[in-house]
């Protein structure tokens, strides 16, 4: 067949039924991505004769005689295509996995199409950005303009204000990988040219069709008879070692309740066997042919049923002490019971009491790059794993533990990762390819389908929270009591941590002498839950912040005034489940009061703008309301989060920074470059960051728990400052000038009027035997707290239930903001993801335990048209614990969004929605029935 690809003739012939996406990738066009294989996400968009198409549903045979252009061919010999330049200028990406497809769609737009992006970008999804930067890119706005909302107040930093030296702290430094992202040359997990992995085979999984069963027998013969199948692995071939797929610095944080392949299956979708073949198609055919006989066991699907006497014990075969399960025979993974003061006395003193049950649903991460790994043995026999992971060092540790391997015999590398949000803080693929590669001595690759992401990866933990709270008529909390039930699904990965963390800062942000918590994390025969942005806080904050509004309404007080009276201030103990505050958590800085003021003032300005424009009267069927919520988060996970960084002067006078932290749209690469540049008096563009490789540095706990800036960044800053001193010391020895008179500047050291270049210093250091490379370490303590406040103005149609977001505002206390534009993007992305979770996203499980929302067409994530343009403001603070005053801001923007929106709807309609998602049909039915919650 003759197909022209990027201007060159290709004579390759597609396989029968092959889609254009896989055909193009096989021809080396690795910029064409897979996000869904269903025509839903647009990550695979290419041009066929100049028209954008989703190549995953376009038969390759239809391209015969046509001209196909991929992202690699979008630019010409004269330079980048204008849309590529615009995406670079506006930084219209975070993880970048969707960016090639987004640009291929936008590259064909005319002015009329650019004027209607909600319609014309509906076929391209992004999970990271919140779409504002994408809109700026497509429309050529660059991204340096200020907020639509006008000037902020209290001297707060606007995200587009650039107060610093170019390329250093406070500058809008572009992502170092930006050019590679927009040209399609950034290499994600599976973007390895075929010639680099000779003999590559593919692994597909046989998954359980039953929610609870014992495997009686597996007949491999039918699968092995399929042409191309080379091996089948079952529980008889896999290590019997129990472990947890969850990854933490201390592996004992999570229960050891999982095997690589088990003879008991506990949810529909669990691994039963792995089939390895010469092609994906052969592996899939082998998986279908495998004969498995099951003995069905009784399942249980809700935590309420699972804790009843006589319920089937899902992990009744586990030893509680060895596996660290609280009560396996009762399906309780972990529990906490605590009371501070006396809630009985607190309720007796209350003038108003609010009591209600709040529930939150399963939500999927929907990172655009699905879970994927490749394993092979190098020439020395070392096991090499290339994986889409947030925690390469912890993956390595888990694999050495599972397979009894020496530490030096395993290397884990993460390429650029296409989104994470906590979902890649797990071992879900790496153990399988390791098992196969060790046996077969061939490279082995596995890639989850989008359906496998929904049915066999992890979700956010569903919470059921029965809350009772009391307040006095003068506006003070008298009691907070919560009974919490979390559904961890079939396995306990992250169950203890999510439960404990959820009950932490959500309660600690309010002063109340009487607090009581009873919480249980419970097994069910459903898809496992895991780490998800906010790590339990978003669920708890939804309940508590909703209750705070109800208490304020009940005593006739403005809800924000009630918050101001009761929220913690510097000097107040931050207490949740223990009578003493955590020893290493401090107010490194405090900006919560500024955040409240910023949101209130922005909402007031918005109201005036609507009134001045004559938009405040929407008609008789519409009611308008405002609502806000606040949140607090510790800036680092507890009990140690470690990072090691190495900063070195290179022979050409440039600098290299080696870090363990993964880049998945969290922006840590840019942060490391800026912190090092600030310490070394240079520009971030002169810092080469190498990362996410266990051979680079000693250890890095990983990019989770908002630790990328405040832990790994602290290590980078320490190493860079030490290197700066060492460079100046060499310069002093060369010139004879006292060290105190030697000043590091960009590219050189100035010594009392004499300029010594960094290349000269490198050469001199080499001759002197001085090591011009320094190491930085940080252990994640002491810790600070970060704050976010969100506000909405909404309109609700009382006849149809339609909801319109008229204004969305978030104020963040991020300390000294390292990169304002990047941090704004993190906040906007968190808002967008949270809006999906509050309005329509839900992983639905039927009465048989089967996930029914297993493709993107059934699980709606926010598209361009769904996301309002949020105003973002930063408080002015300087944190005493973070690097150069910075604090974390990756998880926390998600947390206050749901209750703020629920509070705005309550203010507009008088109806309290205590169950997520608050879908339009629920609003319509509640308005129809005027269902008010009892107080």
């Amino acid at each position: 067949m003759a197909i022209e690809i990027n201007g060159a003739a290709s004579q390759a012939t597609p396989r029968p039924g092959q889609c254009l996406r896989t055909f193009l990738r096989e021809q080396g066009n690795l910029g064409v991505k897979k996000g869904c294989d269903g025509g839903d996400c647009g990550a695979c968009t290419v041009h066929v004769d100049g028209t954008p198409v989703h190549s995953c549903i376009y038969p390759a045979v239809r391209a015969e005689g046509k001209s196909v252009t991929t992202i690699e061919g979008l630019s010409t010999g004269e330079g980048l295509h204008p849309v590529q330049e615009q995406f670079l200028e506006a930084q219209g990406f975070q993880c970048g996995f969707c960016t090639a497809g987004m640009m291929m769609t936008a590259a064909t737009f005319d002015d009329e199409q650019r004027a209607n992006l909600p319609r014309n970008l509906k076929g391209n999804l992004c999970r990271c950005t919140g779409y504002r930067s994408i809109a700026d890119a497509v429309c050529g706005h660059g991204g340096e303009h200020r907020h639509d909302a006008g000037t902020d107040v209290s001297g707060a930093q606007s995200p587009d204000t650039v107060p610093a030296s170019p390329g250093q702290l406070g500058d809008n430094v572009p992502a170092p990988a930006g050019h590679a992202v927009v040209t399609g040359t950034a290499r994600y997990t599976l973007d390895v040219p075929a010639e680099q992995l000779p003999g590559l085979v593919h692994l597909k999984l046989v998954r359980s069709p039953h929610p609870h069963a014992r495997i009686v027998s597996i007949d491999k013969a039918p699968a092995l008879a399929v042409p191309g199948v080379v091996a089948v692995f079952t529980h008889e071939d896999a290590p019997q070692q129990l472990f947890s797929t969850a990854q933490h610095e201390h592996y004992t944080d999570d229960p050891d309740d999982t095997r690589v392949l088990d003879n008991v299956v506990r949810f529909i979708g669990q691994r039963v066997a792995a089939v390895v073949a010469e092609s994906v198609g052969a592996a899939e055919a082998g998986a279908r042919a495998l004969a498995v006989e099951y003995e069905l066991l009784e399942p249980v699907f809700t935590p309420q049923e699972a804790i009843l006497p006589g319920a089937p014990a899902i992990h009744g075969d586990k030893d509680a002490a060895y596996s660290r399960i609280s009560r396996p025979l009762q399906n309780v993974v972990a529990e906490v019971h605590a009371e501070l003061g006396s809630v009985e006395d607190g309720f007796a003193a209350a003038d108003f009491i609010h009591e209600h049950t709040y529930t939150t649903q399963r939500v999927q991460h929907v990172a655009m790059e699905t879970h994927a790994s490749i394993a092979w043995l190098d020439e020395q026999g070392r096991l090499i794993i290339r994986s889409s992971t947030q925690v390469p060092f912890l993956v390595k540790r888990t694999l050495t533990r599972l397979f009894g391997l020496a530490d030096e015999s395993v290397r884990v590398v993460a390429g650029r990762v296409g989104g994470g949000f906590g979902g890649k803080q797990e071992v879900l693929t790496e153990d399988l390819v390791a098992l196969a590669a060790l046996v077969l001595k061939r490279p082995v690759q596995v890639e989850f389908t989008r359906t496998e992401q929904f049915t066999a990866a992890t979700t956010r933990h569903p919470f059921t929270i029965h809350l009772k709270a009391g307040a006095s008529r003068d506006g003070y909390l008298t009691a907070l009591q919560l009974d919490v039930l979390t559904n961890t699904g079939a396995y306990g990965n992250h169950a203890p941590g999510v439960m404990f963390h959820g009950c932490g800062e959500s309660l600690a942000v309010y002063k109340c002498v009487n607090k009581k918590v009873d919480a249980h994390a419970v097994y069910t025969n459903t898809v496992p839950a895991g780490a998800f942005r906010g790590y339990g806080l978003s669920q708890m904050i939804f309940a508590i912040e909703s209750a705070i509004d109800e208490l304020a309404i009940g005593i006739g007080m403005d809800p924000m005034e009630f918050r101001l009276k009761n929220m913690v201030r510097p000097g107040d103990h931050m207490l949740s489940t223990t009578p003493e505050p955590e020893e290493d958590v401090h107010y490194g800085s405090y900006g919560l009061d500024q955040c409240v003021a910023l949101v209130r003032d922005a909402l007031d300005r918005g109201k005036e703008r609507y009134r001045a424009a004559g938009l405040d009267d929407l008609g008789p069927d519409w009611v308008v309301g405002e609502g806000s919520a606040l949140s607090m988060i510790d800036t680092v996970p507890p009990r140690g989060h470690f990072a090691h960084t190495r900063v070195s002067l290179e022979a050409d006078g440039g600098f290299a920074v080696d870090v363990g932290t993964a880049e998945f749209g969290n922006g840590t690469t840019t942060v490391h470059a800026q912190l090092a540049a600030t310490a070394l008096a240079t520009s971030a563009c002169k810092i080469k960051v190498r990362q996410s490789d266990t051979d680079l540095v000693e250890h890095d706990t990983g990019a989770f728990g908002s630790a990328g800036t405040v832990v790994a960044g602290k290590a980078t800053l320490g190493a860079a400052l030490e290197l700066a001193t060492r460079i100046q010391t060499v310069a002093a020895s060369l010139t004879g000038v006292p060290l105190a008179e030697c000043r590091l500047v960009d590219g050189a050291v100035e010594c009392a009027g004499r300029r010594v270049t960094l290349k000269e210093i490198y050469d001199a250091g080499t001759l002197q035997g001085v090591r011009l490379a320094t190491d930085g370490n940080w252990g994640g303590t002491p810790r600070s707290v970060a704050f976010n406040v969100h506000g909405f103005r909404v309109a609700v149609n009382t006849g149809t239930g339609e909801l319109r977001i008229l204004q969305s505002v978030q104020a963040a206390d991020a300390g000294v903001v390292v990169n304002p534009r990047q941090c704004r993007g993190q906040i906007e992305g968190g808002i967008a993801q949270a809006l999906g979770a509050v309005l329509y996203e839900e992983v639905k499980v039927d009465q048989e335990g089967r996930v029914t929302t297993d493709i993107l067409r059934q699980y709606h994530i926010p598209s361009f048209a769904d996301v309002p343009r949020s105003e973002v403001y930063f408080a002015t603070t300087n944190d005493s614990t973070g690097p150069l005053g910075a604090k974390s801001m990756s998880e926390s923007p998600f947390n206050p969004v749901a209750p703020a929106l629920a509070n705005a709807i309550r203010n507009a309609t008088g109806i309290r929605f205590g169950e997520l998602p608050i879908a339009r049909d629920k609003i319509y039915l509640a308005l129809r029935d005027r269902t008010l919650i009892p107080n």
Side-chain angles (χ1 to χ4, degrees), residues 294-312:
Y294 299 93
E295 174 195 349
L296 300 187
L297 304 175
E298 184 183 357
V300 60
F301 299 126
T302 70
Q304 291 81 2
E305 294 171 334
I307 59 174
L308 292 175

Side-chain angles (χ1 to χ4, degrees), residues 592-615:
L592 180 54
D593 50 356
Q594 290 184 53
C595 290
V596 170
L598 286 166
V599 168
R600 294 180 77 170
D601 291 349
L603 288 174
D604 286 344
R605 291 196 305 272
K607 188 183 298 181
E608 288 302 316
R609 286 200 309 274
Y610 260 79
R611 184 177 294 118
L615 301 174

Side-chain angles (χ1 to χ4, degrees), residues 81 388 469 564 567 607 666 687 707 723 845 869 880 891:
H81 186 281
S388 183
L564 287 166
M567 66 192 195
K607 188 183 298 181
N666 49 349
I687 305 290
L723 180 60
V845 176
R869 199 172 179 92
S880 61
E891 292 183 280

Side-chain angles (χ1 to χ4, degrees), residues 859-877:
Y859 184 93
H860 175 63
I861 70 169
S863 65
F864 189 98
D866 298 318
V867 181
R869 199 172 179 92
S870 293
E871 303 165 34
V872 177
Y873 298 96
F874 293 136
T876 304
T877 61

Side-chain angles (χ1 to χ4, degrees), residues 511-752:
K511 297 174 289 186
C512 180
V513 295
N514 305 305
K515 298 177 181 178
K516 184 178 181 181
V517 179
D518 291 287
H520 299 82
V522 179
Y523 287 121
T524 62
N525 291 114
T526 59
V527 59
F532 187 96
R533 197 174 200 165
Y535 211 66
L537 282 179
S538 67
Q539 299 95 311
M540 292 291 292
I541 288 170
F542 170 64
I544 291 173
E545 288 297 299
S546 296
I548 291 293
D549 256 40
E550 290 301 322
L551 290 174
I553 294 167
I555 60 173
M557 191 172 186
D558 175 76
M560 286 306 283
E561 289 299 326
F562 186 74
R563 288 180 171 84
L564 287 166
K565 270 199 166 190
N566 290 280
M567 66 192 195
V568 292
R569 307 270 183 171
D572 293 329
H573 290 314
M574 294 176 279
L575 302 177
S576 56
T577 60
T578 59
E580 297 296 329
E582 294 187 72
E583 292 183 359
D584 69 333
V585 179
H586 309 285
Y587 295 99
S589 62
Y590 182 88
L592 180 54
D593 50 356
Q594 290 184 53
C595 290
V596 170
L598 286 166
V599 168
R600 294 180 77 170
D601 291 349
L603 288 174
D604 286 344
R605 291 196 305 272
K607 188 183 298 181
E608 288 302 316
R609 286 200 309 274
Y610 260 79
R611 184 177 294 118
L615 301 174
D616 53 338
D617 184 8
L618 299 174
D621 293 333
W622 292 87
V623 289
V624 176
E626 287 184 9
S628 301
L630 60 81
S631 65
M632 178 177 76
I633 191 170
D634 293 342
T635 55
V636 186
R639 296 177 300 101
H641 194 108
F642 298 89
H644 170 227
T645 299
R646 185 175 294 113
V647 182
S648 52
L649 177 64
E650 304 278 88
D652 62 358
F655 296 98
V657 176
D658 294 339
V659 297
T661 307
E663 172 64 61
F664 53 97
N666 49 349
T668 55
T669 312
T670 319
V671 166
H672 288 300
Q674 287 184 259
L675 291 173
T678 303
L680 294 165
T682 187
S683 178
C685 65
K686 298 180 181 179
I687 305 290
K688 179 171 61 179
V689 180
R690 299 179 293 231
Q691 61 192 128
S692 310
D693 183 341
T694 60
D695 273 5
L696 281 177
V697 294
E698 294 172 2
H699 182 68
D700 188 286
T701 298
F704 65 90
S706 306
T709 295
V710 296
V711 177
K714 190 91 166 178
T716 294
L717 179 64
L721 289 170
E722 184 181 344
L723 180 60
T725 300
R726 197 170 293 185
I727 288 169
Q728 291 170 110
T729 301
V730 172
S733 71
L734 282 177
T735 60
V737 174
L739 178 62
E741 297 178 30
C742 296
R743 186 171 67 92
L744 182 62
V745 296
D746 192 10
V749 178
E750 292 183 349
C751 303

Side-chain angles (χ1 to χ4, degrees), residues 839-858:
L839 290 176
Y840 35 77
E841 289 188 41
E842 182 176 12
V843 176
K844 295 182 179 179
V845 176
D846 66 17
Q847 294 181 345
E848 296 179 349
R850 187 183 310 276
V851 172
T852 59
T853 48
D854 61 355
I855 58 174
L856 284 174
R857 203 158 295 188
Q858 297 166 342

